[in-house]
Every structure is written in structure tokens, then in C-alpha cells.
Amino acid sequence: MKDGAEEAQLKISEAVLLGHAMVQRVADGLGIRAFFIKGPASVIQGLRLPKVSGDVDVFVSLEDLEEMLSGLRDRGWRQRPVDPDSRTFPKHSVTVDHPEWPCCIDVHFRFPGMEREPADCFDVMWANTEDFELAGQEVRIPSKALGILILALHALRSPHLSQCRQELEFLSDLAVRQSLAPAILAMSTSTSALAAMRPFLEDLLTHTLLVDWPNASAEWRNRLLAKEPGSARLIAIAQVPLREKPRMLFRAVFPTPEVHLSRDIYADMSFRGRLKSHRARWVRFLRALPRIARDLKSVGD
């Protein structure tokens, strides 16, 4: 016979649905504009093939970020440790978890690939959201065109992965069938996401429609080039001013405890535990060296 506590444990699929309702209530109680991206709503909308989401992705404006996080902390959610190196890994969301919930919540305040100021991007996106009932709660979600833009940008970060290529093909077919290309183009222009979206949009637009494609930002180019975390760090070190290189090199070799905890929040941070984490980190780096070398070679090409 199963223990009662075990029987009461939420399944991830249940937790994600209830998490959407809980986060919406927090946002409503604080008067915060919030909408949900990816997740089960995108599956119900037909923007994704059926899959179980492992977390809740909510989007708020940068000015409301701290208040939203405070509201979640009041309900027992805690911020997960992150790598403090924001130059190598520019932050676009904050992840929180709860000891009694099997899923995390990612609170987004900007989206990689959208180069316009976060506040302006949020206003454009908010104007393209709609009401949707999920887990008995009315929540805000992107329109289909905005949903495709967000999912396409997410997949375009890693076009070398077969799963991302399949998702891009699925989204492209959907955009064609529902004639959504003009709306996606308009939002890509309004959020300065044209450079990142070019590989997706070029095949959708008619030859009579001329688009002045901008150059991709350094951040976006680095995301595409660095297929390995080690590559991202080496690329960042190569690009920073000379005076900053020693500090970044030192932190690459001797990372702060947050770096280890970002991989495993329960990692042993005793002296012995940290040595073990350092060893595992170097093993991962050495195993990835051939792939890192390919990434760095593509930077120079």
C-alpha cells in the first residue's frame, strides 16, 4: 500500500496546469500584466505537437519582475542559483522552485532574439495576447502569430538539433496554412527580431515582399555559434576587453558555488563536495573539447 503523502504528490503534468492558475492569481492580486508562453496552452492552440511541459513559463515586464518574484516568494517559491557571469550567459528569465512542487516556474522579462528594449517588446507582445481558460482559471496567452514567433525564436537558438528543426518545419507549415506570415513579420519588425527570424521568415514570404534584413546582434550570433557551454565561455573571454580577461579566466577555472548549484540545487558545497564538482566539470569540458573546437573554428570562418 502506498504512503498517503506519496499518493498526494502532484504529477508534473498536474503541477504545470495548477501552476499556471496559481501564477495568474498572484499576478492578478498584484495588478501585474502577465501572460504564459510555450507550455500546455501552445499544444491546445495547435502550435506544438502533444508533449508534457516540465515547467511554467510566464512573461512579465521588466518593471514588474521584482514584484512578481516577491509575490511568489510569499508563497514559498525560492529563486534558484544561477551562474553570475551575465556576459557569457545574458539573463532573460529567473527560475524559481518550491520544495512541494515537482515543477519550476520561469519568469521571463525578455526574449532572446528580440533586440528592442524589453519594455517596448513587452508592450508589443501584450497587445497580441488573448484570454484562455486553463485549469479552471482564465489566463493570458499569446495569439497564434505571437506564439509562433516565440516558439520559432526558441527553436532557432539551436537549429543544429533535430528536434528544433522539426519544430521549425511544423511551425512553418502552420503559418502557411493559416496565412499568419504577415502578422509574424509585423511583430518581428516591431520587436526587432527580424535578424534572428530571417531563416524562418524568408521561406514564408513572397518574392514580391522586400524586407530590409538587419544584421544579427553579437549576443544572437554567439548563441548560435556556441553549441557547448564551454564554447560560450571561451567566446565571451575572447571578446571582452583585455583588462577583463584575467578575471573571467579565473572564474572559468575556479567558478563560484552558484555555478555548481545551478546544475544541481542539492549539490554538496563542502570542500570535498566542491572538489568533486570541479572534477566533474573538467571531465565534461574535456569530453566536449572536439565539439568546442568546431564551435571556435566557426567563429573564425
Side-chain angles (χ1 to χ4, degrees):
M1 181 176 178
K2 290 186 178 180
D3 181 80
E6 184 179 343
E7 288 181 348
Q9 180 67 45
L10 282 173
K11 296 178 181 178
I12 290 182
S13 58
E14 297 168 338
V16 168
L17 288 172
L18 292 175
H20 279 72
M22 183 273 297
V23 173
Q24 185 67 60
R25 289 178 184 175
V26 172
D28 290 345
L30 296 171
I32 291 174
R33 293 180 299 169
F35 64 94
F36 297 90
I37 60 175
K38 303 182 284 184
S42 64
V43 175
I44 298 172
Q45 282 181 296
L47 304 183
R48 269 182 162 177
L49 295 173
K51 62 179 294 185
V52 176
S53 298
D55 51 25
V56 176
D57 290 282
V58 63
F59 213 115
V60 301
S61 67
L62 181 57
E63 65 180 12
D64 290 330
L65 175 63
E66 286 306 320
E67 189 174 6
M68 187 72 198
L69 293 174
S70 177
L72 292 171
R73 281 195 295 268
D74 289 343
R75 287 157 179 78
W77 294 83
R78 59 193 180 187
Q79 189 169 331
R80 297 196 67 160
V82 295
D83 190 325
D85 181 4
S86 59
R87 183 183 289 273
T88 301
F89 307 104
K91 304 300 184 290
H92 60 272
S93 65
V94 178
T95 301
V96 296
D97 63 14
H98 193 293
E100 297 177 6
W101 286 68
C103 67
C104 295
I105 300 171
D106 289 331
V107 185
H108 297 255
F109 54 90
R110 71 181 189 93
F111 208 81
M114 296 182 179
E115 305 295 347
R116 197 174 171 188
E117 285 298 312
D120 295 331
C121 285
F122 183 84
D123 287 340
V124 172
M125 290 189 285
W126 181 255
N128 289 277
T129 60
E130 56 194 40
D131 292 330
F132 189 85
E133 186 173 319
L134 197 66
Q137 172 74 40
E138 190 174 87
V139 301
R140 296 289 288 185
I141 64 169
S143 65
K144 282 194 173 183
L146 176 57
I148 290 175
L149 170 59
I150 290 171
L151 291 171
L153 283 174
H154 187 262
L156 284 166
R157 295 185 213 173
S158 307
H160 59 287
L161 300 178
S162 61
Q163 179 181 350
C164 291
R165 292 196 299 271
Q166 291 168 4
E167 184 157 28
L168 288 168
E169 184 177 341
F170 178 83
L171 292 170
S172 179
D173 291 342
L174 178 63
V176 170
R177 290 198 312 272
Q178 302 197 7
S179 303
L180 293 171
I184 299 169
L185 174 62
M187 274 183 280
S188 298
T189 303
S190 298
T191 58
S192 297
L194 276 178
M197 285 290 288
R198 183 174 182 174
F200 180 82
L201 284 172
E202 275 189 315
D203 292 337
L204 295 182
L205 303 177
T206 63
H207 296 295
T208 58
L209 185 60
L210 298 178
V211 178
D212 184 13
W213 300 104
N215 293 323
S217 67
E219 178 188 338
W220 185 256
R221 293 196 305 271
N222 288 350
R223 282 185 181 274
L224 297 185
L225 291 170
K227 300 177 181 64
E228 293 288 331
S231 304
R233 205 175 295 276
L234 290 175
I235 291 171
I237 291 172
Q239 292 175 341
V240 298
L242 184 61
R243 65 181 181 278
E244 296 183 34
K245 293 183 190 296
R247 179 181 60 83
M248 289 191 69
L249 280 168
F250 179 82
R251 280 304 174 200
V253 177
F254 302 105
T256 61
E258 289 84 358
V259 174
H260 301 304
L261 291 170
S262 67
R263 291 184 60 87
D264 178 7
I265 195 172
Y266 301 108
D268 179 5
M269 286 293 100
S270 66
F271 179 74
R272 183 183 295 243
R274 290 179 66 177
L275 284 178
K276 184 177 179 180
S277 294
H278 278 297
R279 179 180 179 279
R281 193 166 184 265
W282 276 102
V283 168
R284 290 194 300 272
F285 176 77
L286 292 173
R287 286 176 177 169
L289 264 180
R291 297 187 295 275
I292 292 174
R294 287 196 294 271
D295 289 351
L296 297 180
K297 182 178 183 300
S298 66
V299 174
D301 291 344

